[in-house]
Every structure is written in structure tokens, then in C-alpha cells.
Amino acid sequence: MLLTKVVILAAVVSGVAAAQPKRIYIAPDDHTDYMWTGDEEEYRRAFVEMLDYYLDLADKTKGNPTEFQSRWHADGSIWLWTYERNKSAAEFKRLIERVRDGHISFPLNALVSTHGGTPMEATLRGMYYAGSLERRFGFRVPLAIAMENQTLPYGLGALWAGAGAKYSWKGICGCLTELKRDGRRPHEIYNWKADDGSNILMKWNSLTGNTGARSMGGYAEARTPAKEIEHVDKDADFKSRYPYPVIGIFGKGWDDLKTMTDEFIAIAKAKTTPERKIIVSNIVDFFEDFEKNFGKSLPSQSVSFGNEWDLYSASLTEVSSRVRRAVEKLRAAEAAASLVSVKWPGFMNGRQAEREKAWLDMGMYWEHNWTADSSKITREMRANWGRKIAGEIEAYVERLHADASYALAGQIKTSPDKKRFYAFNPLGWTRTDAADIVYESAGPVHVVDLATGEETPSQFVTLHEAGYPQGRRYLRVLAKDLPPVGYKVFEVRDGAGKQLGPAAEVKGKVIENSVYAVKVEDRGAISSIVEKARPGRDFVGGSSNGRWRVNDLGQDPGVLEIENAGPVSVTLKGSGSSPLAHTSRITLYRDSRRIDIRNEITENFDGTHTWGFTFNLKSPDVRHEEVGAVIRAKLLADGGHYSPVMSRLEWLTLNHFADMSGEDGAGITLSNSDLAFMKLGKSNIHDGVSFLDTKTPQIQVLAGGQIDAPQAGIAKQGGDRYFLQRFALQTHGGYDATAAMKFSLEHQNPPVTEWLRAGGTYPETSYSLLTISNPGIVLWALKPADDGPSKGLVARIWNLAPGAQDYSMSLSTGISSATRTTHIETDLEPIPLSSWKVTSKAAATQIQTIRIVPVGGVQP
């Protein structure tokens, strides 16, 4: 069958080729090796100088035939962001006009990044500046890129397509890789299809020649354009793999700081013959030509190639974790800001510049030069730059979170003589969870849920956090049935309340609530998890690499003690000194199915360390959140999502969760807050070929390491001595992607609390801003629109089911208008309303972004 398809395709291509001349597009650019070839100031000057040069060259060549006019591709939106901040409004307008007429192009991406370790929302926010340019100046950016690194996530294509991209090209480097340099790709150009039906037209040629990245398939294919034109026109091997008469040769700059040349124009003129036309290209024009003639007859590919340079962010793992935490905390900050903005439309005013920089930073932190092997930029400089970017992201998120939480506390009706606080749920469904609020007053108290009038379990806990080495005192309550994107109000009253038993009992090393009996070893590893609904079934076990426990950093003695015991939760604290000094806290909550794990490593380390999770499951089947997709950790031939060729699979992406199920369907979900990668069992790579271990029921979560050391990454974690690494576990009877994601989001997004003060107009006891009718649809984000209060709110949803689902979305205010947008908030089409609600359908696994305006607009 495959041979037949190839023959038919070749015949179609041959027929079309006979009817038209060969067209070779040559596109100049300067590959941006940010914080590798130069530092930030050097690149700032280079961006401005190069854009000025090519604007002038476009003017000089405007009288030439269109194929011989100057074109230039800037390979990140940061080029335009920098130019806008260093030139006059008139000069920036001149640049925008050249973007409009196709003489200058750029992708949605802020910079060339490795995406395997990037949270989904960070990937999207990194493209927001490009989206703002689209709306301000009335054009679309149809291109997204990921260069040099040899691997690529599966779900990234759907995110790009949802952001508005139609095309992508990938040129790689034959350097610093475990993959075969002379390997051939499954397809040289193809339709990158996602499960949701979206598509990216992808050019990703096999690397050829002996010049590394400076030949076809490299990130500087057009380093010597005249030579490469002859290669693609005459080389039999290339023509057999790429039979199309429309060819793209992209990239001039290689690792240079600056590239300013008019040679492409002269070469295009000199190399054009009656049989072939050479066209100076902006990259997009190649794709438009190719798509028109061959887009429908191309093969499709839906596959992940794993991670390679992506892994090097784990060499500065705590800084990378800080960025991940900030991205996750943004969910609560923006949800609270949405409630506040409905009443106070000017709340987000004055944050635009800081917000735009934070979005760019999210697109920059995972910049591809985590290799840190520059002869100019030292590893220390690269690490410090990463810390700076992380700090800027954190500063914006923390300020927004604090301001929104405080403002909401002043918008809720209250009595000034009462001691009340709210617990706000930023997620889109009703949940029950523990909520903590700072409480340093003395004396016994009890807490009443004002929505029900009933006392709720409460206790005092001491939590260890930054700035409080001896711990800080909190009041912890069991916040039942918190409404979606809404709050409940709790009143603290003096005096002891009902005498409730502890949330869990501790008998020796076993901690037990109404759901689980969990055995914790002295060092904090878990050696048994028994769900009481399945008596006799222990979810911990098996034997692999000598590590058969859960949350296992390595064999060592330790000390186990009880901490923070009460009617809401009980914690066992285990401390060990080997292989690294660490503390692990295992917490069970009252009647809860969640087992919380909080690990802290408290010494610097070199080498690679993992947390082992070995489960007693036969024929393990692992699904995990990659980047913009939940995928199955098997090879394509076995019903999974991973390519058996040109892939690196010993370390897979781990975003919010991984789930392992056994042959009977029962399994366990692992929620991951802080880390980015995991290894399945004994997975490895040898002689350029990956072995993905799908038999061993073990997940090893990468605590940190200089993968491919010593050539790549930051040595000794940049000197860091503290690492926070948190997980949670929940057993289940059958795998469900939506349930796994909701569990993980609840673990990673605790209720937000704040003491009430002079009240506003929000209800006194409880309130929900947004409701989604279908529980299978996950609200991913709710935020004030980036373009201001008149544009209302932006909701992002994710249908994690394998089939299409109908749903409706409503606001407590009612919705006056709704618009489907790209993921970067550029409008696509209006959505009809029914009874002041959005009624829509989401395709299988689809992520949608919708702009909604409350009835009457955002009201003061």
C-alpha cells in the first residue's frame, strides 16, 4: 500500500512539474543565537542595525522585478519589539509597512527556543507580542519556527496552528547530538496533523553534506546560496527524496552576530535560467506557492520526536522550576483579576509594559542556547541571564496575584466587626480542598462556612517557606464545594468548635485516612499505597534498577516524624542525607483521594538525580501531558505517539501529569508541579537509536542534571543549594484524561485566600463568575483581555476527550458578545449567543480561545 501511494504521489508531482518551471526560493536571515554569539546589548544593536540595512535595501531594489527585490527574515518577534523601543514611531511605521508588503517577515515566536520543557501557557504567551502587532497593524503572522535542536514535541503544532500559524520550517545542527548526523527524516516536507484536525505545513529536510548546519537541512541552508542552488537542482539523492519543483533554501547567518548582504539579489539574477527561476524569499512566499500546488497531496505526520537540547534547562533546575511555578500561579492571578476587572475596569491599567515583557520572557527563557557552550558567553553569564528572566516573570505574576487578591477582598460584602476571609477557586469546576491563610493570633478558634452556616474542620499549621526559616503559622480549613471561578467566605470565631478526630491516623510508619493506607520510610520514600476500596491491592512494587518504591531519591537512612496533625490534614516528615540531603513531607487530607508529596533538596549537586516512582502494575500504559497534547508513551507502531526514527526518547516531557495504568485498567496519576522531564524504566539511546522502555512500571522524574555533560548545560546547578520538587498521587479504576488533568490542576492550584476588609458589592457568602456546562471541558485560563477592558475577558478551554464535545459557557452577569480568537487573542469570528450564553463544540483534544464580554460590558 505504501509503495502504491509513493508511486501515485510521484506521478502527480511529475505531472505538475512538467507544466511549470522549477522555482527555488532563497531566504536570507541571521539565525539568532541569543546569549551565545552575543549578549543582550550586542544583540539589541545588531537587530536595529540589520533591520535598518534591509529596509534601505528594500527601498533600493523596489524597481527590480519582484523575485529580485530584497527580502529579509527576522527569526523572532523580539527583533520588532527591540526596534520599536529604540526607534521613532515613524521609523517603526516604516518597518511595519515592509512587513505588510512582504519584504520583511518574522515568526510568531519571540526567539528560537527548545519547546520540550516549556509549559503550554508559556509557549502561547511567548507569541503574544506578535499577536498584538497583528491587531494593531492589521496583518497576520502565518509562520512559527523551532530551529537547530534535533527534536520536536507533537502537541506544539496544534498550539502554533491555534495561534494562527500555517507554516513552519526546521533546520537543525549536526552538532552536540546523540542522533545520527546522516539520518534521513520520514518526510522532507509534510502536513503536521494534530488530533484536533489542525495542520501545519512543515518543511524539515534531512541534513546533507559535510558542512554541518550550512547545507540543506541545516539552520543555515543558504550559507552559500549559489552552491546550494546547484545541489538541490542536480543532486540525485535530494531529488529522489524531494520530488517537488518548488524548493526552499533558507537561512544565511549561521552563528554570526550580524548578516548584511545583497548577494541574494545578484545570485537570484545570475542563477535564473529558462528552466528554473530563483526567487529572493521571505519564507512565507515559498509556503504559499508550495501549498497552492502540492499542499493537498502531501503525506501527513502526527508524531513526537522527544527531547534533546530541551533537556539542558534541567542543568539549572530550580530556576527553571521557578518559571514553571510562576506560569502556573498566573492562572489564579488572572482568574482573580477577571473578577476584580468586572467591577473595576481600570484594574489592569498601567501593567501593559510589564505584562508584555513577561510574555516575551516566557518566550525567551527556553531559548535554544541552553547548551551554554559558547566561547564568548560563559556558563555563569548564561545562568545569570536565566535568573534575570525568571525574576522578571516572577515579579509580574507575584504583583498581579497580590494586587488581585487584595482588591477582591475589598469587593465582597462583609461586616466590619467580623473576622472573615475568602477562599477563591481559580479553576472551572466545583472542588473541595484545604485552604490556608496566615493567622498569627493566639487562642482557640473555629471556622464557619457562611454559605452553609456550618462549622468546617480547621487546624493551625506551621509551613516553611521563603523568608520564614522557622516556619509561619497558618489557619488551614477544609473548604468544601468551592464554586467554579468563584469563592466562599469563611468566618473565624473565637473559642474551640466541635471536637473532630484527626484527618488521618499514624501507626508507626503508616499514615491512614478514609481512602488510603500509606507506608512511609524514614527518608520519605513510600513503600506501600493501599486504596481501601481495593483491599489487598498495593500500588507500590515491582523491581527495577534496585528502586521499587515511590518518591525514592535513593537508598539511605533517615528520620521520620509527625508534623501538622489535625482534623484537616496530617503530615509525615522524612529527612535523609543521601544521596542528597533532602526532606520529604507526605500529607493526607480528610476524606481526600490525594496524596501530597513535598520534597526539598538542600545541597548543591552535580551529576543526574531522579525521583523514582515504581508501581505495582502489569503491562504498564503511560499517558502524559507533553506540550499542548496528552500523548501515549509508546512508539507509533504500538499505538503511541513517538517516532521510532530520528527521535530521542530516554527523557520525555512531563508537564502537569503522567498516568500509568495496568492491564486491568486500574492505575495511578502522578501530578508534577516543578519539574519538566521523566524517564520510563530503562529507556536509553545507543548509536543514535532510542529504546523506549514500555515494559517496566517505573517513572523516574528528573530532579536535575547536566544531560550530555560536560559539553552541554550549566555545571553544578549554577551553585544552587535549594530545590523544591512537589508531586501528588491518586489511584483510579480506569484512565481518564480529563480526570487526570483536573486532579493535577487542583494539586497545583491551591485556593487563594485573603482577609476581607471594607466590603463591596460581590455577595457576602459565595459567588461564581463562570460556568461551563460540560464537565468534560476543562477551563484552562480566564483572564482580562490583553487589549483592555472594552474587550472583556478571554477564556481558554481544553477538550481532553478523544471525541468532539458540545458545551455552553456562561457568566453570572450574562454574556453580551462572544468571539472566537486565536490563542494569542486575534479575532477570528463572532459566536452566536443563546440565552446570553456561548454554545459551542470542541473537536477531539481541541484547545479553544474565546473572548467574552459581560452584559453591559465591564462595569465599574
Side-chain angles (χ1 to χ4, degrees):
M1 179 62 74
L2 179 59
L3 179 60
T4 302
K5 289 182 178 179
V6 171
V7 170
I8 292 174
L9 177 59
V12 171
V13 172
S14 177
V16 176
Q20 53 185 288
K22 183 174 290 186
R23 298 179 298 287
I24 302 175
Y25 289 80
I26 54 173
D29 75 0
D30 184 273
H31 174 74
T32 304
D33 275 319
Y34 207 73
M35 288 302 293
W36 194 89
T37 297
D39 61 23
E40 288 195 286
E41 177 58 26
E42 289 173 304
Y43 263 111
R44 183 194 67 81
R45 293 194 299 265
F47 291 157
V48 172
E49 188 176 347
M50 283 186 281
L51 286 172
D52 279 340
Y53 175 86
Y54 287 104
L55 286 171
D56 290 343
L57 191 58
D59 290 345
K60 286 181 183 179
T61 60
K62 65 182 179 181
N64 291 357
T66 184
E67 63 265 30
F68 302 144
Q69 292 179 12
S70 172
R71 313 277 170 183
W72 178 252
H73 176 68
D75 69 346
S77 66
I78 192 174
W79 287 60
L80 280 78
W81 184 85
T82 302
Y83 197 85
E84 184 174 14
R85 277 147 190 77
N86 288 275
K87 305 290 277 190
S88 69
E91 288 169 316
F92 188 63
K93 181 180 178 181
R94 179 190 180 207
L95 172 60
I96 291 298
E97 289 307 312
R98 286 309 188 187
V99 172
R100 286 181 189 276
D101 65 22
H103 288 84
I104 304 288
S105 66
F106 67 98
L108 291 170
N109 316 82
L111 275 175
V112 175
S113 291
T114 54
H115 294 273
T118 310
M120 182 176 97
E121 205 60 37
T123 295
L124 297 179
R125 301 305 170 101
M127 298 185 283
Y128 260 52
Y129 176 67
S132 74
L133 294 179
E134 289 183 330
R135 299 188 296 280
R136 285 162 59 192
F137 300 108
F139 58 76
R140 295 296 298 275
V141 182
L143 186 70
I145 61 172
M147 310 297 293
E148 196 163 355
N149 180 30
Q150 299 224 36
T151 57
L152 196 64
Y154 166 68
L156 185 63
L159 294 185
W160 283 351
K166 299 169 63 179
Y167 314 122
S168 182
W169 82 282
K170 185 170 177 68
I172 64 171
C173 180
C175 53
L176 228 172
T177 180
E178 293 294 317
L179 299 178
K180 293 181 178 179
R181 284 198 66 243
D182 59 352
R184 293 294 179 255
R185 306 217 60 80
H187 304 289
E188 302 290 306
I189 189 166
Y190 58 93
N191 285 314
W192 182 3
K193 291 282 189 183
D195 289 344
D196 64 3
S198 63
N199 181 71
I200 295 284
L201 175 54
M202 177 62 132
K203 168 181 136 60
W204 188 355
N205 295 106
S206 300
L207 189 61
T208 61
N210 58 5
T211 57
R214 292 162 289 176
S215 57
M216 284 304 292
Y219 63 91
E221 293 177 331
R223 183 69 172 179
T224 52
K227 177 181 176 183
E228 215 57 38
I229 288 169
E230 298 303 321
H231 169 75
V232 300
D233 194 22
K234 299 174 182 177
D235 183 80
D237 178 56
F238 177 80
K239 291 166 73 173
S240 69
R241 290 181 286 106
Y242 189 98
Y244 308 99
V246 179
I247 303 169
I249 308 172
F250 305 152
K252 168 66 179 177
W254 193 48
D255 295 346
D256 300 339
L257 178 65
K258 291 184 287 189
T259 298
M260 291 179 285
T261 178
D262 61 0
E263 69 173 315
F264 281 64
I265 300 161
I267 288 171
K269 292 178 180 179
K271 290 290 184 179
T272 292
T273 70
E275 292 76 32
R276 70 185 187 195
K277 179 183 289 187
I278 312 301
I279 302 165
V280 181
S281 170
N282 66 3
I283 297 179
V284 173
D285 51 8
F286 157 79
F287 281 110
E288 292 173 337
D289 186 347
F290 192 98
E291 182 179 43
K292 178 181 178 181
N293 287 284
F294 305 105
K296 293 181 180 180
S297 61
L298 279 180
S300 295
Q301 186 166 269
S302 304
V303 64
S304 177
F305 293 96
N307 297 295
E308 189 157 62
W309 291 9
D310 321 70
L311 303 169
Y312 305 155
S313 61
S315 67
L316 202 63
T317 196
E318 178 59 21
V319 181
S320 299
S321 295
R322 285 168 47 199
V323 179
R324 297 180 70 84
R325 289 176 208 131
V327 172
E328 195 64 30
K329 194 170 186 177
L330 184 64
R331 190 188 312 276
E334 290 181 332
S338 296
L339 264 75
V340 172
S341 295
V342 168
K343 300 287 187 180
W344 176 13
F347 173 72
M348 295 296 291
N349 291 349
R351 304 177 195 271
Q352 292 90 332
E354 187 183 20
R355 179 177 67 237
E356 188 174 272
K357 186 61 171 65
W359 296 169
L360 276 169
D361 283 342
M362 289 183 190
M364 292 168 63
Y365 181 79
W366 286 272
E367 197 277 346
H368 72 291
N369 286 294
W370 271 105
T371 53
D373 57 344
S374 167
S375 60
K376 178 178 178 62
I377 304 298
T378 67
R379 283 183 157 86
E380 181 180 12
M381 292 167 65
R382 173 69 195 203
N384 289 338
W385 176 77
R387 296 182 199 279
K388 179 181 82 73
I389 296 298
E392 291 173 352
I393 295 170
E394 287 175 317
Y396 173 73
V397 174
E398 291 292 340
R399 187 173 295 112
L400 179 62
H401 191 279
D403 290 351
S405 302
Y406 182 79
L408 182 58
Q411 292 182 328
I412 299 172
K413 293 179 183 178
T414 190
S415 299
D417 59 334
K418 304 295 184 181
K419 192 182 300 183
R420 294 174 176 175
F421 67 93
Y422 69 74
F424 171 68
N425 172 24
L427 304 178
W429 56 92
T430 302
R431 65 190 279 206
T432 295
D433 214 326
D436 297 336
I437 189 161
V438 173
Y439 193 95
E440 296 175 341
S441 301
V445 298
H446 62 283
V447 179
V448 173
D449 179 341
L450 293 187
T452 64
E454 300 292 329
E455 182 182 345
T456 191
S458 63
Q459 70 186 81
F460 290 112
V461 297
T462 299
L463 302 181
H464 298 266
E465 54 192 20
Y468 296 88
Q470 303 305 314
R472 195 178 190 190
R473 193 172 188 241
Y474 284 80
L475 177 61
R476 174 171 289 174
V477 305
L478 185 62
K480 297 179 180 179
D481 299 325
L482 293 177
V485 196
Y487 63 80
K488 271 190 168 185
V489 175
F490 296 88
E491 184 172 296
V492 181
R493 299 176 180 175
D494 292 335
K498 297 177 182 177
Q499 296 301 307
L500 299 173
E505 294 184 2
V506 178
K507 300 176 182 178
K509 295 183 177 182
V510 176
I511 181 172
E512 181 177 346
N513 68 358
S514 63
V515 182
Y516 297 114
V518 178
K519 185 177 181 181
V520 182
E521 299 301 309
D522 293 344
R523 63 185 185 277
I526 295 173
S527 56
S528 176
I529 298 174
V530 175
E531 182 184 354
K532 292 184 176 180
R534 295 180 176 85
R537 172 72 179 271
D538 196 332
F539 281 84
V540 179
S543 178
S544 176
N545 309 327
R547 300 171 71 182
W548 59 268
R549 296 171 178 84
V550 160
N551 195 51
D552 194 358
L553 188 62
Q555 294 281 359
D556 66 295
V559 177
L560 191 67
E561 58 186 304
I562 299 174
E563 183 180 74
N564 291 330
V568 182
S569 66
V570 177
T571 298
L572 282 182
K573 173 186 170 184
S575 303
S577 59
S578 177
L580 300 171
H582 67 279
T583 299
S584 295
R585 291 176 169 88
I586 314 300
T587 300
L588 294 187
Y589 299 92
R590 190 177 201 89
D591 301 325
S592 173
R593 296 187 55 79
R594 191 172 80 217
I595 303 168
D596 268 10
I597 302 171
R598 178 187 174 95
N599 298 315
E600 295 168 288
I601 297 173
T602 52
E603 68 171 277
N604 179 252
F605 62 88
D606 203 1
T608 300
H609 293 271
T610 63
W611 295 97
F613 292 82
T614 306
F615 300 117
N616 182 25
L617 297 169
K618 295 180 180 179
S619 303
D621 196 357
V622 174
R623 284 93 160 183
H624 61 109
E625 184 199 353
E626 191 214 32
V627 182
V630 175
I631 65 176
R632 196 176 188 193
K634 293 180 182 291
L635 298 181
L636 282 174
D638 299 322
H641 287 87
Y642 284 100
S643 173
V645 297
M646 301 302 292
S647 59
R648 186 163 178 186
L649 308 180
E650 77 268 37
W651 295 103
L652 308 181
T653 295
L654 175 59
N655 271 312
H656 286 89
F657 78 88
D659 184 280
M660 182 181 289
S661 299
E663 61 184 7
D664 61 351
I668 194 161
T669 302
L670 168 65
S671 171
N672 162 64
S673 293
D674 306 287
L675 301 174
F677 304 103
M678 65 178 184
K679 175 179 288 193
L680 298 189
K682 303 171 185 176
S683 297
N684 59 55
I685 187 167
H686 182 68
D687 288 340
V689 178
S690 285
F691 166 63
L692 181 62
D693 182 0
T694 60
K695 304 297 184 183
T696 304
Q698 182 188 68
I699 294 171
Q700 297 182 62
V701 182
L702 181 60
Q706 194 179 350
I707 308 297
D708 298 338
Q711 296 90 347
I714 310 298
K716 297 183 178 180
Q717 295 293 322
D720 285 343
R721 302 182 60 85
Y722 176 83
F723 308 86
L724 174 62
Q725 303 178 347
R726 297 161 297 167
F727 309 103
L729 298 168
Q730 178 175 268
T731 59
H732 59 72
Y735 170 71
D736 181 286
T738 304
M741 183 64 80
K742 285 186 172 183
F743 163 72
S744 301
L745 291 177
E746 288 182 14
H747 166 233
Q748 295 166 42
N749 293 269
V752 179
T753 61
E754 186 64 76
W755 292 104
L756 301 188
R757 57 187 199 282
T761 58
Y762 272 127
E764 188 173 9
T765 62
S766 67
Y767 178 76
S768 173
L769 176 64
L770 180 144
T771 303
I772 295 176
S773 63
N774 187 337
I777 299 291
V778 174
L779 177 68
W780 192 254
L782 180 69
K783 62 184 290 295
D786 259 26
D787 288 348
S790 67
K791 298 297 184 180
L793 307 175
V794 171
R796 192 159 11 256
I797 62 94
W798 193 351
N799 172 24
L800 288 153
Q805 293 198 71
D806 296 314
Y807 69 95
S808 65
M809 179 188 301
S810 59
L811 292 177
S812 59
T813 62
I815 297 173
S816 64
S817 67
T819 306
R820 198 174 309 283
T821 77
T822 67
H823 295 328
I824 55 178
E825 300 189 23
T826 297
D827 287 353
L828 295 175
E829 60 184 1
I831 304 175
L833 298 178
S834 175
S835 301
W836 308 105
K837 297 179 181 180
V838 172
T839 301
S840 189
K841 179 187 289 286
T845 74
Q846 186 179 26
I847 301 163
Q848 293 181 346
T849 301
I850 298 173
R851 184 161 54 81
I852 48 179
V853 178
V855 169
V858 177
Q859 294 293 328

